[in-house]
Amino acid sequence: MQQFEMRGADTLTQMPKLGRGVGRAHGKAILFGEHAVVYGAPAIAFPVNVLPVTVNATLTPAASTIESELYTGPLERAPRRLAPVVAAIRTALNMFAPKSGAKIAIYSDIPYERGLGSSAAVASAIVEAVAHAAGQDPNATELFDLTQVGERVAHGNPSGMDAHAVQSTQIFRYRKPNVEPIRVGGAFYFVIADTGVPGATREAVAGVAQRKAADPRVDAAIGELARVAEESVADFEDGDLAAIGAKMNRAHGLLRAIGVSSPELDHLVDTARRAGAMGAKLTGGGIGGCILALAPTLPEAERIAGVLRGAGAKGAWATWLEPID
Ligand code: PMV
């Protein structure tokens, strides 16, 4: 029988049953600063609570198994695309329950490979679920560090922004390695819409590096993207929707100019603007993935999401930021 390290009676209340634990995380979207952040600019990202992930972990003396939409079966035989998930499970078990295997069930609403933080959210929820199953409560640093192990397998050299965002409760400014929450002076309503085309962050980042070296206009556009990100902080503090919308439009133009948009992204951006969005842009690495649009109210965000679905978006979700002091 497995021995579990117990910290005290209070931990029992977190565990439905000894050896079982639940972990949760959510998606993320980048509002400003993608690509410029690679060259030292700040990026602005926020939690997308309407796209949650839940992981159930049950410790077992037998070999580990995974149950998910992509694959169900032994950990050992998981397909290559699940390598980040496998790494997260192994790392979490090593840290919190080294003598156990685990049955891991993953329920994720985040479409994968769309720049919405799916890999980081799943890794983070796995770490939390395994820790809880072992009667422990990981602190924020442990959660971040262990999530980054899975992220390194997924992305090579992750900035850490996703690993923060998928557990964050508020919008933040990220300049590696610092995270600063941003005050939000009014509610902001967004629509996220999926082109259905997988994002290609690595390829997009490599393409920008090449063009930047060859063309001073690309370098200038990256400088301008950095300025837009930096100046948006004051607009959030002021609750200035019109200013944020204008900056989103500006950022999309600049991201197009550096070569990371696509016909599908441009189509959804144009559709959102024609449907009444106050601004719209691609979000994340680009080439595929998602767009982000700003709406004046939640019903408007939901209406624009419907228009985007009708125009070919594979998924569209309304989400929002609450005012925070
Ligand atoms: O596609 P995402 O959400 O992983 O975002 C990539 C953001 C970039 O700035 C393009 C790359 C990076 O590592 O920050």
Side-chain angles (χ1 to χ4, degrees):
M1 194 46 204
Q2 179 64 45
Q3 293 291 305
F4 300 107
E5 187 195 310
M6 299 294 293
R7 282 189 182 159
D10 59 323
T11 51
L12 288 172
T13 56
Q14 294 164 2
M15 292 188 297
K17 201 170 160 204
L18 186 64
R20 287 192 184 177
V22 180
R24 294 180 213 281
H26 46 249
K28 72 100 212 312
I30 301 179
L31 246 163
F32 294 115
E34 53 270 90
H35 287 288
V37 69
V38 173
Y39 302 97
I44 313 292
F46 69 101
V48 180
N49 297 316
V50 296
L51 296 176
V53 173
T54 302
V55 169
N56 292 335
T58 307
L59 298 185
T60 148
S64 297
T65 58
I66 301 177
E67 184 192 321
S68 75
E69 206 183 299
L70 286 179
Y71 166 78
T72 293
L75 186 77
E76 295 298 320
R77 277 195 247 132
R80 261 179 87 82
R81 68 188 302 190
L82 283 192
V85 170
V86 171
I89 296 171
R90 293 217 165 104
T91 310
L93 282 171
N94 274 343
M95 176 84 178
F96 298 110
K99 295 191 184 116
S100 282
K103 276 192 198 169
I104 300 288
I106 301 167
Y107 307 95
S108 175
D109 283 354
I110 311 175
Y112 38 88
E113 296 164 356
R114 301 293 199 280
L116 296 178
S118 160
S119 62
V122 169
S124 185
I126 286 171
V127 170
E128 196 178 59
V130 170
H132 285 174
Q136 302 189 46
D137 212 5
N139 62 37
T141 311
E142 282 172 331
L143 205 50
F144 175 82
D145 289 346
L146 297 177
T147 301
Q148 280 290 81
V149 174
E151 283 294 89
R152 275 186 209 105
V153 175
H155 299 300
N157 183 21
S159 66
M161 183 163 53
D162 282 19
H164 277 293
V166 298
Q167 288 292 343
S168 172
T169 54
Q170 52 186 293
I171 183 169
F172 60 87
R173 176 184 185 277
Y174 183 77
R175 186 179 249 156
K176 199 176 173 180
N178 296 317
V179 180
E180 287 164 34
I182 296 175
R183 271 196 323 108
V184 182
F188 285 82
Y189 303 97
F190 294 102
V191 184
I192 296 170
D194 180 5
T195 59
V197 180
T201 301
R202 246 179 235 248
E203 188 189 327
V205 169
V208 170
Q210 257 174 20
R211 290 187 286 277
K212 184 176 183 292
D215 185 345
R217 286 171 304 179
V218 171
D219 202 30
I222 288 170
E224 187 57 21
L225 281 165
R227 245 185 320 279
V228 167
E230 195 66 80
E231 289 173 11
S232 72
V233 173
D235 300 333
F236 283 112
E237 289 177 352
D238 294 344
D240 191 339
L241 270 78
I244 291 294
K247 284 190 170 59
M248 290 171 73
N249 288 337
R250 175 98 185 105
H252 187 70
L254 292 162
L255 289 163
R256 275 191 74 170
I258 65 170
V260 297
S261 193
S262 70
E264 294 86 354
L265 287 164
D266 289 343
H267 167 63
L268 293 184
V269 163
D270 290 345
T271 305
R273 289 179 190 157
R274 276 202 309 274
M278 303 173 78
K281 66 184 280 289
L282 70 84
T283 178
I287 301 190
C290 293
I291 69 138
L292 188 62
L294 181 67
T297 62
L298 188 56
E300 273 297 283
E302 270 156 6
R303 187 185 60 75
I304 294 167
V307 173
L308 287 163
R309 273 184 229 110
K314 190 145 180 235
W317 305 269
T319 187
W320 59 92
L321 292 174
E322 306 270 359
I324 332 168
D325 267 340

